[in-house]
Amino acid sequence: QTAIALRSLGDALRFVGDLNQSRTALTSSLAMAQQLQREDLVHTAQLSLANTLQAQEDDDSALILYRTLAQTASQEIQVQALSNQFTVLMNRGQVADARALWSTLQTQFSSLSPSQPALFARITVIQQLIRLGVANTPSRSEQAEQLAIAIQQAQAIGDVRSESYGIGTLGLLYETTGQWGEAQSLSEQALTLAQSMNATDIGYLWQWQLGRIYKALGDRARTPQLKQQHFQKATSAYSDAVDSLQQLRTDLVAVNAQVQVSFQDSVEPIHRELVSLLLDPTRNDTTPDDIEKARIVIESLQLAELDNFFREACLDTESVDIDQLDAKAAVVYPIMLRDRLEVVVSFPNHDLKHYTTPVPRETVETLVDQLRQHLTLRISNRFRPGMARMYDWLIRPMLPDLDANQVETLVFVLDGALRNIPMAALYDSGAKTFLVESFSIAVTPGLQLVNPQPIQEQNLAVLTGALSEARQGFSALPNVVPEVEQIQSTVPAQVLLNEEFTEESFQSALQSNAEPIVHLATHGKFSSNKDETFLLTWDGQLSINALNDVLQVSTLNQSGPIELLVLSACQTATGDKEAALGLAGMAVRAGARSTVATLWQVNDEATALLMEQLYEELSSRQVSKAEALRQAQLRILHDPQFRNHPYYWAPFILVGNWL
C-alpha cells in the first residue's frame, strides 16, 4: 500500500510541476516495490518515474527505463512505454529511430485489449506524428486508420473521453491536410463529447482547433460578410478555449494526468493567437470592444504565466479601473506576436487604443538578447541604437496620444523577454533623452494584481536586512555598509547586518515591529525556475515561499501589508530568457504593495546614492513611489562620475503599485 501511495503522490507532484519531489517519491516507491519483489508494482513505478524524468528533460534516463519496460512489463505498460519512447525520440528529432518503433507499436496496438491507457497511447502517437508533419511511414491514411480503430474501440467499451480524444485528433489530421469541412465537423463532434462529461481538460483543445479552422475559413472567404461570420466564430471559439483554461486554473483536480495542460504548447499560443485575431490589421474594422477583449486576454496570459511559474493557482485577483486609480497614468501592454508587435494602451478617461508595428516576435527577442548584453557594458554606448529602435517600436507611435492626455506615468505590463530590459532606458534618438527623463515608470504583471492604494501617510520607517561579507560562495558587498548608514541617516531604520541577518531574526523583527518598508541589501537571484529564485541570509537562502511566509507575519501584525519591499543587490539569472519572471513572481508572492528590485547587480556606490535619494524623496515629499524612483534614477543619470550610462541607474524597477 505504501509503494502504491508513493507512486500516486509522485504522479500528482509531477502534474503540479514539483518535479524534484515527484522524482524523490517515485524513486522511493520503486525501491519499496523492489524490496517486496512485486514485479507489477516495480513496472508501474518505473513507468511513472520515466515520465517524471522525461518532464525534467532527462531524456536519456527516461529512455533507458522505457526500453527496459518495453522488454519486461505487461503488455499494457509495454505499449505506454513504447508510446512515450516514441514521443521522446520525435521531440529530440530522432525521426529515424522513432519510425523504427512504428511496426512494433502497430503490433502492440492490434493485439492489446481496449482500455483507456492503451487508447490514449495509440492516439498520442498519431497526434505526435501529425504535429511534426510526418506524412509517410506511416502515411496519412495509415494515421487516419489507427485513429478510426481507436474511436471504434472507445465506442465499444463506452469510453467517451478516449472517443472525444480520437475524433478530435482525426479533426487535427484533416485540419493539417486543409480539408476544412471534415475538420470542422469532427472537431465539433469531439467538443460535444468532451462537454457531455465536463472534460474541460480536452475540450479546450477542440475549442482552440475550431478557432484555427474558422480563421482559416475566414482567410479564404470570398465575401466580406462571410469573412466576418467566420471571424466571429473564430473569436468565439478562441474565447471559449481561454475561458476553459481559466476554469482549469482553479480546478486542477479535474485534469486527467494523461492530458496535461502545457503552458508553452497550449496556454501561451491560444492567448497569443486570440490577441492576433482580435487586433488583425488586415480587417480594418477593429472595434473598442475588440481592443478591450485583447487587453483582458493579455492580462489573463500574464496570470497564467505566473501560475505556471508557481505551479499552482495561488494569486488572488480583482478588477481595477485605471481611471479611478490614477488619472495621469497610462497602462501599456506590448505583446509580441508571430508576425508583428502590438501595443495596447489604456489612457485615463478614454477608450483603449492599439498600435501595430510589423516586427516579428523573433526579431524583438533577438534585439532584447543583444541589448541585455550591451546595457551591462559600462564603458560602451553600443546599447543606444538598439534602445532607440525599441523606443521607436514601443513608444513613438503613441507619443501624440501621451501628450494629448497629459500622461505623467507609464505602467508597463510587459510580455516575455521584454521584461529583461529596463523600460526607463528606452532612448529617443531625436531628443537624445531616455524615457525616464519624461515619465515616471513602473512595471506590473497585470492590473488585476495591483493593490490600488497610495502609500499611507505615516512616519516612514525601514527594517533593513543586509549582508556585506562574503557568504555561501557569494562575494562580499562592501558598499552595503554605507548604503545602510545612508538609509539610517535619512529615515528611522532597524538594521540586521551580517550575522544578525538570519531568517529567524528577520522574522522576529517583523513580528515585533511595524515598519512599512522592508529593505534587503543582499545577494539574490531571479530565475524562470521558482526553485532557483532566492535571497541570501547569513545562515541560508530565502525562497519565494519562505519570503512570503515571513512577510505574512508582518502583515498579520499590522493594519495592512508592507508598503514597499526593496531588493537592492539582486540580479536575474544570466542566459535565462524568462528570468525576470522570477522577479515578478517574487514581487507578487511576497505580498508587499510595491517592490523595487534590480535586473542586474549594480555598482555598489551608485546603489547607495540611489537608495539615499529614494528614501529622501519618499520621506520629504508627497510623491508617488514611481516618481520617487524616477528622481533617484535621475540623480545617478546626471552625476558625471557615472557617465550617463544606464548600467548604473536603469536596472532598478518598481513592480506593483506605483502610487
Side-chain angles (χ1 to χ4, degrees):
Q1 292 297 322
T2 306
I4 294 171
L6 282 169
R7 190 187 76 241
S8 298
L9 174 62
D11 287 339
L13 288 166
R14 178 178 64 252
F15 175 73
V16 299
D18 197 341
L19 300 179
N20 290 333
Q21 291 297 320
S22 171
R23 186 171 183 166
T24 299
L26 292 169
T27 301
S28 298
S29 174
L30 177 58
M32 196 166 292
Q34 288 168 332
Q35 282 181 348
L36 294 169
Q37 297 183 339
R38 287 277 305 274
E39 275 200 350
D40 57 333
L41 296 182
V42 168
H43 293 153
T44 52
Q46 285 177 323
L47 181 62
S48 290
L49 179 57
N51 292 342
T52 292
L53 292 169
Q54 182 188 346
Q56 288 184 310
E57 299 182 355
D58 186 356
D59 290 346
D60 291 334
S61 299
L63 284 171
I64 290 170
L65 283 174
Y66 288 142
R67 285 168 178 150
T68 300
L69 289 166
Q71 299 295 324
T72 60
S74 66
Q75 194 175 16
E76 186 169 295
I77 289 181
Q78 277 186 30
V79 78
Q80 291 179 68
L82 282 166
S83 169
N84 292 351
Q85 183 182 340
F86 182 89
T87 297
V88 172
L89 292 170
M90 291 296 281
N91 286 338
R92 287 172 61 151
Q94 295 174 237
V95 178
D97 292 339
R99 281 177 169 158
L101 289 177
W102 176 245
S103 59
T104 306
L105 277 165
Q106 276 185 303
T107 303
Q108 291 280 11
F109 289 151
S110 61
S111 62
L112 195 62
S113 299
S115 68
Q116 189 172 95
L119 291 170
F120 264 74
R122 185 195 295 255
I123 296 165
T124 299
V125 166
I126 303 303
Q127 197 174 79
Q128 192 76 11
L129 290 167
I130 296 168
R131 286 183 171 152
L132 291 172
V134 175
N136 54 71
T137 319
S139 66
R140 299 285 197 202
S141 60
E142 288 177 301
Q143 294 170 31
E145 183 182 340
Q146 287 293 331
L147 290 171
I149 293 169
I151 293 164
Q152 289 168 0
Q153 290 184 348
Q155 290 169 340
I157 64 173
D159 183 355
V160 178
R161 174 181 285 275
S162 295
E163 184 184 357
S164 172
Y165 196 39
I167 291 173
T169 302
L170 188 57
L172 175 65
L173 179 58
Y174 280 116
E175 179 197 355
T176 304
T177 57
Q179 294 167 272
W180 305 111
E182 294 88 342
Q184 178 185 337
S185 175
L186 288 164
S187 302
E188 288 170 347
Q189 288 178 50
L191 178 58
T192 300
L193 287 169
Q195 289 173 334
S196 73
M197 57 180 302
N198 294 319
T200 312
D201 55 307
I202 55 174
Y204 85 90
L205 288 170
W206 317 139
Q207 290 162 336
W208 179 21
Q209 197 159 287
L210 281 166
R212 298 194 304 269
I213 292 165
Y214 289 134
K215 181 184 182 302
L217 290 169
D219 291 341
R220 290 159 177 77
R222 295 182 178 179
T223 67
Q225 293 84 356
L226 197 55
K227 190 178 185 72
Q228 180 63 16
Q229 287 175 15
H230 286 308
F231 164 75
Q232 289 173 345
K233 287 182 178 180
T235 303
S236 177
Y238 268 109
S239 299
D240 289 343
V242 168
D243 290 344
S244 294
L245 289 170
Q246 287 179 327
Q247 181 182 333
L248 288 175
R249 171 181 176 261
T250 54
D251 191 18
L252 291 175
V253 178
V255 182
N256 186 298
Q258 292 169 316
V259 191
Q260 291 190 21
V261 180
S262 161
F263 178 82
Q264 187 174 3
D265 296 336
S266 301
V267 179
E268 184 177 11
I270 288 172
H271 284 77
R272 291 191 191 280
E273 287 168 23
L274 176 52
V275 171
S276 181
L277 188 65
L278 289 165
L279 304 180
D280 186 351
T282 65
R283 284 177 46 225
N284 297 319
D285 59 353
T286 304
T287 67
D289 283 347
D290 291 334
I291 304 174
E292 173 60 18
K293 284 179 187 173
R295 186 195 69 79
I296 292 169
V297 173
I298 296 170
E299 288 256 359
S300 175
L301 176 60
Q302 296 279 331
L303 203 57
E305 195 165 9
L306 282 169
D307 282 345
N308 184 63
F309 174 76
F310 288 120
R311 298 295 183 183
E312 57 181 308
C314 59
L315 301 172
D316 296 325
T317 64
E318 58 181 272
S319 179
V320 174
D321 185 346
I322 183 64
D323 296 338
Q324 296 177 6
L325 201 58
D326 186 348
K328 294 289 187 180
V331 184
V332 183
Y333 299 85
I335 183 161
M336 297 176 290
L337 303 175
R338 181 186 56 80
D339 59 342
R340 66 191 192 276
L341 178 67
E342 290 282 358
V343 182
V344 173
V345 184
S346 173
F347 293 102
N349 302 306
H350 283 82
D351 285 337
L352 294 164
K353 289 195 173 184
H354 81 104
Y355 309 86
T356 304
T357 303
V359 184
R361 179 180 181 179
E362 188 176 343
T363 302
V364 178
E365 290 179 336
T366 299
L367 180 58
V368 167
D369 286 345
Q370 294 169 355
L371 286 172
R372 185 54 197 266
Q373 296 174 30
H374 295 165
L375 285 164
T376 54
L377 295 173
R378 66 189 91 175
I379 58 172
S380 165
N381 284 330
R382 291 174 64 189
F383 67 86
R384 280 194 179 168
M387 290 306 272
R389 284 175 69 196
M390 200 66 76
Y391 180 96
D392 291 342
W393 294 342
L394 294 174
I395 305 299
R396 196 171 299 283
M398 71 175 87
L399 269 181
D401 293 314
L402 292 174
D403 291 339
N405 286 279
Q406 299 181 314
V407 170
E408 296 176 358
T409 301
L410 296 178
V411 181
F412 288 91
V413 181
L414 292 173
D415 179 32
L418 289 172
R419 300 187 191 102
N420 289 326
I421 57 171
M423 295 295 105
L426 295 180
Y427 188 68
D428 183 343
S429 57
K432 292 186 168 41
T433 57
F434 293 102
L435 189 63
V436 74
E437 296 180 77
S438 302
F439 300 96
S440 302
I441 295 166
V443 174
T444 175
L447 278 192
Q448 299 175 74
L449 298 170
V450 171
N451 188 333
Q453 296 179 34
I455 195 164
Q456 296 176 0
E457 290 189 23
Q458 56 183 301
N459 294 323
L460 290 186
V462 181
L463 172 61
T464 301
L467 287 183
S468 65
E469 298 180 13
R471 293 296 289 175
Q472 302 171 47
F474 288 84
S475 61
L477 296 169
N479 268 57
V480 158
V481 173
E483 177 183 335
V484 169
E485 289 172 348
Q486 286 175 333
I487 293 171
Q488 285 179 300
S489 69
T490 308
V491 291
Q494 178 186 359
V495 177
L496 304 174
L497 181 63
N498 292 327
E499 63 270 14
E500 297 172 347
F501 180 41
T502 64
E503 182 174 344
E504 183 179 350
S505 63
F506 181 44
Q507 184 163 348
S508 176
L510 283 167
Q511 284 178 312
S512 58
N513 295 281
E515 283 89 353
I517 298 175
V518 173
H519 184 113
L520 301 179
T522 177
H523 281 290
K525 180 178 157 189
F526 303 118
S527 165
S528 58
N529 184 339
K530 180 184 73 169
D531 298 330
E532 295 175 8
T533 296
F534 62 87
L535 299 172
L536 207 65
T537 61
W538 181 262
D539 59 343
Q541 296 179 356
L542 270 177
S543 68
I544 283 186
N545 288 342
L547 180 65
N548 176 59
D549 292 343
V550 170
L551 292 181
Q552 290 305 313
V553 170
S554 174
T555 300
L556 293 172
N557 285 277
Q558 297 184 55
S559 58
I562 289 167
E563 290 285 353
L564 181 62
L565 171 65
V566 180
L567 309 172
S568 71
C570 301
Q571 60 186 323
T572 50
T574 305
D576 184 347
K577 291 184 179 180
E578 299 296 326
L581 184 64
L583 192 158
M586 176 77 81
V588 170
R589 193 63 179 269
R593 286 200 173 108
S594 313
T595 300
V596 171
T598 50
L599 288 172
W600 57 79
Q601 196 167 342
V602 189
N603 171 279
D604 283 355
E605 187 178 357
T607 298
L609 289 172
L610 187 141
M611 290 300 161
E612 177 189 14
Q613 187 68 35
L614 175 67
Y615 288 115
E616 181 71 34
E617 294 289 328
L618 288 172
S619 62
S620 63
R621 297 175 57 204
Q622 289 295 311
V623 296
S624 69
K625 285 172 272 193
E627 178 61 17
L629 178 60
R630 173 175 175 262
Q631 291 299 328
Q633 289 177 308
L634 290 176
R635 175 181 176 181
I636 307 302
L637 170 59
H638 295 142
D639 188 326
Q641 69 173 312
F642 300 116
R643 300 185 304 281
N644 205 29
H645 200 291
Y647 166 80
Y648 296 98
W649 54 266
F652 295 91
I653 61 172
L654 176 68
V655 182
N657 182 346
W658 63 92
L659 298 175

